Amino acid sequence: MEARPMASVKPRVFWAALTGCLFCSGVSTAFADGEVNVYSYRQPELIQPLLDAFTKETGIETNVLFLDKGLVERIQAEGVNSPADILLTVDIARLVEAKEGGVTQPVLNDPVIQKDIPANLRDPEGEWFGLTTRGRVVYASRDRVTQKDITYEELSDPKWKGRICIRDGQHSYNIALFASMIAHHGVDYTREWLTGLKNNLARKPDGTDRTQAKSIFSGECDIALGNTYYVGLMLTNDKEPEEKEWAGAVRVIFPNAADRGTHVNISGVAMTKYAPNRDNALKLMEFLASGEAQEIYAKEVFEYPVLPGAQPSDVVKGFGPIKPDPLSLTEIAAHRKEASELVDEVGFNEGPSN
């Protein structure tokens, strides 16, 4: 997502392109009491309602640096002088990358976080925890696809030849799914499966999850892989009403609902190793784990709350019930390198070979 000019952004929320500034001039109080500095892989407009609620409740201001990649490397380069307090991510792989990169610190002995976040969504060593979950589902054309059930394994079936769209195979959302296939079936099976999926593509992998819905709407393909929350965002996008048409053209199918369940991923958070505003950072993390924040996430971002008993939005409920694959996210993350290598090995991003 392209960064917007700073003048168009709310006060105290700072966006940066990959070559942009870090907490640009005029933010001389970045280390002052009453503030917390957030490095975010998640688009600012998706987290702004949460940050606004946090500031209203606590009086603590937030500064946000958004980049779509390279935040871990940036924190490493900044070292002990890094202004970052917490890291927000959109994928388990990003959390594992941050931990393995040595830029996080354990905080999960915190009683509030332990109480509110299920154990399977927390790092065993306490260095990150999940905030929300989302399913990696099939978008199916309402007009051209009649079947109501599907499996990930079926996506390599030749009956789908020329009918599937997908974003870049190396994108973290797809790598996590491919890694889950390795965890369930092994490398050899996944190589063959990925080759079959590639040969069923309608075009080269490209675009975003929203693009895949648009391609179904235009008739370029009949099914696609995408995250659940994008459908909610499109269905409610009053600023770009054409997205409502794209989303209205697709039906969400939860793969493997009849057996192991649908692959899910998380958005998550970690405290940075040298957080200069540690107390404020911990307050923000506790808030993000709270019922209030979970309700905001469900309503504004259309993801599934991780707090036991918290309900998704009515829009998301309209997709039908989700049965999450219980496979450990840390186990999935352990296979991400193999998954990435397979994408290159089979030439997935080159698109169908015949």
Side-chain angles (χ1 to χ4, degrees):
M1 182 173 180
E2 185 177 352
R4 298 178 184 174
M6 289 180 61
S8 67
V9 184
K10 285 187 176 185
R12 312 208 67 79
V13 180
F14 300 86
W15 296 41
L18 288 176
T19 57
C21 63
L22 170 65
F23 299 114
C24 301
S25 60
V27 194
S28 59
T29 60
F31 292 86
D33 290 339
E35 295 192 337
V36 59
N37 298 325
V38 179
Y39 279 20
S40 177
Y41 283 115
R42 169 141 258 186
Q43 294 100 327
E45 72 269 17
L46 296 181
I47 61 172
Q48 192 58 46
L50 291 159
L51 300 181
D52 289 344
F54 170 72
T55 298
K56 182 178 180 180
E57 181 173 304
T58 66
I60 298 171
E61 299 287 352
T62 59
N63 304 308
V64 179
L65 171 70
F66 164 70
L67 295 176
D68 60 3
K69 57 183 176 180
L71 283 176
V72 170
E73 292 82 359
R74 187 157 197 162
I75 297 171
Q76 290 171 329
E78 292 166 348
V80 69
N81 295 316
S82 176
D85 292 306
I86 71 171
L87 177 69
L88 284 174
T89 78
V90 292
D91 185 83
I92 179 60
R94 301 282 198 189
L95 292 167
V96 173
E97 176 190 34
K99 179 182 176 182
E100 292 178 348
V103 302
T104 62
Q105 61 172 295
V107 297
L108 292 193
N109 58 349
D110 180 81
V112 175
I113 295 172
Q114 286 188 331
K115 175 177 68 72
D116 290 342
I117 303 298
N120 67 315
L121 297 178
R122 294 185 257 127
D123 175 51
E125 297 176 344
E127 302 213 9
W128 54 261
F129 65 89
L131 296 172
T132 60
T133 64
R134 77 287 294 268
R136 193 76 179 150
V137 299
V138 167
Y139 300 168
S141 169
R142 290 185 179 275
D143 295 333
R144 301 183 299 278
V145 177
T146 58
Q147 73 179 66
K148 300 295 194 298
D149 302 305
I150 201 167
T151 65
Y152 296 113
E153 290 79 1
E154 183 188 330
L155 298 178
S156 65
D157 190 315
K159 75 177 186 179
W160 296 111
K161 187 174 179 61
R163 301 176 67 187
I164 301 177
C165 287
I166 194 171
R167 71 191 301 165
D168 189 326
Q170 290 289 2
H171 192 278
S172 59
Y173 298 159
N174 286 331
I175 290 297
L177 172 61
F178 302 160
S180 77
M181 293 294 289
I182 294 174
H184 280 293
H185 298 295
V187 171
D188 291 340
Y189 175 94
T190 305
R191 179 186 296 108
E192 183 178 352
W193 172 80
L194 204 58
T195 300
L197 173 58
K198 169 195 170 184
N199 289 332
N200 285 342
L201 297 180
R203 53 161 169 76
K204 290 183 179 182
D206 188 39
T208 66
D209 285 5
R210 297 176 198 248
T211 306
Q212 313 318 311
K214 180 182 180 182
S215 294
I216 292 173
F217 172 76
S218 69
E220 186 176 17
C221 50
D222 293 337
I223 64 173
L225 284 167
N227 285 347
T228 43
Y229 68 91
Y230 281 109
V231 180
L233 292 171
M234 288 186 288
L235 284 172
T236 56
N237 191 347
D238 293 327
K239 294 182 179 179
E240 299 174 272
E242 67 273 14
E243 290 195 359
K244 293 184 177 183
E245 294 185 282
W246 306 347
V250 307
R251 177 166 34 87
V252 171
I253 304 179
F254 294 101
N256 298 83
D259 47 70
R260 69 174 183 270
T262 298
H263 168 67
V264 297
N265 210 322
I266 60 173
S267 66
V269 64
M271 185 182 293
T272 60
K273 186 175 183 179
Y274 299 112
N277 301 297
R278 190 183 191 282
D279 290 346
N280 290 342
L282 188 58
K283 289 177 182 177
L284 177 55
M285 295 175 80
E286 290 177 346
F287 176 80
L288 293 174
S290 71
E292 179 182 355
Q294 293 288 299
E295 182 178 338
I296 294 171
Y297 255 125
K299 179 181 178 181
E300 301 289 342
V301 189
F302 302 103
E303 293 191 323
Y304 293 92
V306 299
L307 189 68
Q311 295 296 310
S313 71
D314 290 340
V315 171
V316 174
K317 287 180 180 178
F319 304 156
I322 184 172
K323 175 187 175 183
D325 184 345
L327 188 66
S328 164
L329 290 177
T330 53
E331 182 177 354
I332 292 173
H335 293 288
R336 68 192 191 284
K337 184 174 184 292
E338 293 169 297
S340 177
E341 290 171 347
L342 283 185
V343 169
D344 289 340
E345 181 182 331
V346 306
F348 190 83
N349 282 340
E350 297 169 10
S353 56
N354 49 55

